[in-house]
Amino acid sequence: NCGQNEGAGVICTQVWLMGGHEGNVFINSQPVCDDFWDQSDALVVCRMLGYSGGIPKSGSHFGTVSTNYAMDDVFCTGSEVSLLDCPHSTSHNCEANEGAGVICFNDAEITTGLDEVNITNNERFQWIFDDWGNKF
């Protein structure tokens, strides 16, 4: 018994990085400006993508971007579910070299066995050295 003006809809927001787990941040194919970009902002973006943490990058660290910015002056607290939940401006004063970026990661996983220690962080193996240069 629904009328033509009673339809339901969904608005999807796409966030992506140019390089998979790292790159300049794009919202609906538009870059995000790096003004006031910090750790809290990076954390929100990386959690949106399924990672546990992130490192903020600024100055179009992963290459220049177009100047049709979706967001500027982003001020996340780190508790937001989406970058769009963070206070921000939709007008900007940003140039192509001001793209916000992140390096996303998952918490380090440490396993031990007989005479060996394996540490993997974001699917990367890392050697551990002691003060004398011995590799573990």
Side-chain angles (χ1 to χ4, degrees):
N1 65 357
C2 295
Q4 70 184 46
N5 295 332
E6 296 180 281
V10 175
I11 297 175
C12 296
T13 300
Q14 180 186 24
V15 60
W16 59 278
L17 308 175
M18 226 18 153
H21 75 280
E22 63 182 30
N24 292 323
V25 178
F26 290 83
I27 295 285
N28 296 329
S29 300
Q30 292 179 273
V32 175
C33 186
D34 67 0
D35 293 347
F36 304 105
W37 190 250
D38 65 13
Q39 182 69 43
S40 297
D41 306 324
L43 176 62
V44 172
V45 168
C46 291
R47 280 200 328 250
M48 287 178 73
L49 296 170
Y51 295 94
S52 61
I55 301 166
K57 293 293 179 179
S58 58
S60 292
H61 182 82
F62 299 98
T64 57
V65 297
S66 68
T67 56
N68 66 333
Y69 286 95
M71 303 173 79
D72 189 13
D73 302 329
V74 179
F75 288 101
C76 297
T77 64
S79 63
E80 295 87 354
V81 173
S82 168
L83 193 63
L84 293 175
D85 296 336
C86 303
H88 66 277
S89 175
T90 54
S91 60
H92 71 87
N93 58 349
C94 305
E95 300 296 327
N97 62 345
E98 293 183 79
V102 293
I103 299 173
C104 296
F105 59 85
N106 285 317
D107 292 329
E109 179 181 310
I110 301 174
T111 58
T112 60
L114 297 175
D115 299 327
E116 66 181 47
V117 175
N118 292 317
I119 296 181
T120 51
N121 184 0
N122 202 21
E123 300 178 8
R124 295 181 184 170
F125 179 79
Q126 299 174 348
W127 289 106
I128 299 175
F129 293 89
D130 63 17
D131 291 338
W132 300 275
N134 298 315
K135 183 169 52 174
F136 291 93

